[in-house]
């Protein structure tokens, strides 16, 4: 089974801090995604990547950036954290080599910005 | 981006009751997926459907791929306390050449079970 590991389950950061959320997968999947989840809004795509050093904006990229220097690792960066970025962040991976059966999600990072 | 219309948004039911939820789309998908998210965890795939009209079961869960390819349904029979969570539908288009669009998600159905 694919394992998708998010480095922190809970984070508390101060407004203005630079925040790094890390996601690591162990099954050589080419596609990786970052979502945020808020009550009533569902899953909203922030950024995704189809390959090393490649990145594409999702639906809500403002205030975020990403880095994918290695295939197994996809980092989400909050350049200057703000309180409206308090949310649950979910990383997901996908590979069309497995038939496109769907994404595998990490356990999530619940970020609170104070 | 596009989101699917998933309903109901939340359900309050008694233990032992059956549950039904559905997802509709304005566009066609050739793959429908259902995920469950336990409190404090990431979503986990429950059922994947690849053919219009397909009916697939996973224990007490049954999902159907609508004939129009624009909708899907999930039923849970005889609910138990561990069924609590958020259920997401997702649609996808897989292409014969091997490519695929990304998943389009519904906003989720929050299932709450009263003992």
């Amino acid at each position: 089974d694919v394992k998708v590991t998010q480095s922190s389950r809970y984070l508390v950061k101060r407004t203005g801090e630079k925040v790094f959320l890390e996601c690591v997968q162990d099954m050589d999947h080419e596609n990786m995604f970052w979502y945020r989840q808020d009550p009533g809004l569902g899953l909203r795509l922030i950024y995704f990547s189809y390959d090393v050093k490649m990145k594409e904006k999702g639906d809500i990229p403002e205030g975020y950036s990403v880095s994918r220097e290695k295939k197994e690792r996809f980092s989400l960066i909050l350049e200057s954290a703000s309180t409206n970025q308090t949310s649950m962040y979910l990383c997901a991976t996908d590979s069309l080599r497995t038939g496109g059966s769907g994404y595998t999600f990490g356990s999530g990072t619940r970020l609170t910005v104070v | 981006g596009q989101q699917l219309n998933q309903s109901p948004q939340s359900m309050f039911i008694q233990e032992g009751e059956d549950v039904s939820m559905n997802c509709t789309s304005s566009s066609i998908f050739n793959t429908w997926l259902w995920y469950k998210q336990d409190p404090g965890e990431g979503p986990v795939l429950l059922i994947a459907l690849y053919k219009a009209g397909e009916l697939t079961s996973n224990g007490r869960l049954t999902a159907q791929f609508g004939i129009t390819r624009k909708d899907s349904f999930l039923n849970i029979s005889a609910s138990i306390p561990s069924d609590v969570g958020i259920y997401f539908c997702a649609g996808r288009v897989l292409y014969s050449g091997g490519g695929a669009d990304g998943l389009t998600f519904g906003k989720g159905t929050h299932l709450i079970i009263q003992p």
Side-chain angles (χ1 to χ4, degrees):
Chain A
D1 283 349
V2 175
K3 189 170 182 181
V4 181
T5 303
Q6 294 186 231
S7 54
S8 303
R9 293 298 298 272
Y10 300 94
L11 276 178
V12 179
K13 296 293 182 181
R14 295 194 180 277
T15 301
E17 277 193 75
K18 190 169 185 176
V19 181
F20 294 86
L21 303 183
E22 306 287 346
C23 176
V24 178
Q25 50 109 349
D26 66 357
M27 283 295 290
D28 201 37
H29 280 190
E30 63 270 23
N31 305 325
M32 298 187 76
F33 308 83
W34 275 106
Y35 286 87
R36 65 176 283 176
Q37 181 181 16
D38 302 287
L41 298 178
L43 302 170
R44 292 184 291 166
L45 182 62
I46 304 171
Y47 267 97
F48 59 101
S49 169
Y50 288 140
D51 203 349
V52 176
K53 296 192 184 296
M54 290 182 62
K55 59 184 179 182
E56 299 284 344
K57 292 180 179 179
D59 300 320
I60 52 165
E62 297 78 19
Y64 303 94
S65 63
V66 290
S67 173
R68 193 163 180 202
E69 296 297 317
K70 295 183 178 181
K71 190 172 186 178
E72 68 269 20
R73 185 182 295 270
F74 192 34
S75 303
L76 179 69
I77 304 157
L78 285 65
E79 298 291 343
S80 178
S82 63
T83 54
N84 63 13
Q85 292 178 309
T86 292
S87 185
M88 174 72 145
Y89 290 87
L90 290 163
C91 174
T93 74
D94 178 47
S95 174
L96 297 181
R97 299 194 308 271
T98 60
S101 59
Y103 301 170
T104 301
F105 285 88
S107 295
T109 297
R110 185 163 293 281
L111 173 68
T112 302
V113 182
V114 299
Chain B
Q2 178 191 6
Q3 281 197 322
L4 304 177
N5 294 315
Q6 186 172 349
S7 65
Q9 185 175 356
S10 58
M11 301 182 73
F12 295 80
I13 64 166
Q14 299 284 337
E15 184 177 350
E17 286 185 25
D18 295 343
V19 172
S20 291
M21 60 190 78
N22 69 83
C23 240
T24 60
S25 170
S26 57
S27 55
I28 289 173
F29 295 107
N30 60 17
T31 301
W32 280 94
L33 306 161
W34 284 93
Y35 286 85
K36 183 196 176 193
Q37 184 180 27
D38 288 327
E41 299 291 334
V44 174
L45 183 66
L46 295 174
I47 292 177
L49 303 156
Y50 298 104
K51 189 177 179 181
E54 180 181 357
L55 190 71
T56 298
S57 293
N58 178 3
R60 293 177 296 104
L61 277 63
T62 302
Q64 184 163 20
F65 191 139
I67 293 175
T68 66
R69 293 187 288 165
K70 291 183 177 182
D71 55 10
S72 182
F73 307 86
L74 177 70
N75 296 313
I76 305 172
S77 62
S79 58
I80 60 178
S82 62
D83 291 333
V84 162
I86 303 175
Y87 292 79
F88 290 98
C89 62
R92 188 173 211 177
V93 177
L94 300 179
Y95 299 101
S96 57
D101 291 341
L103 290 184
T104 300
F105 286 94
K107 289 188 177 181
T109 295
H110 194 176
L111 181 61
I112 298 164
I113 298 176
Q114 299 161 333

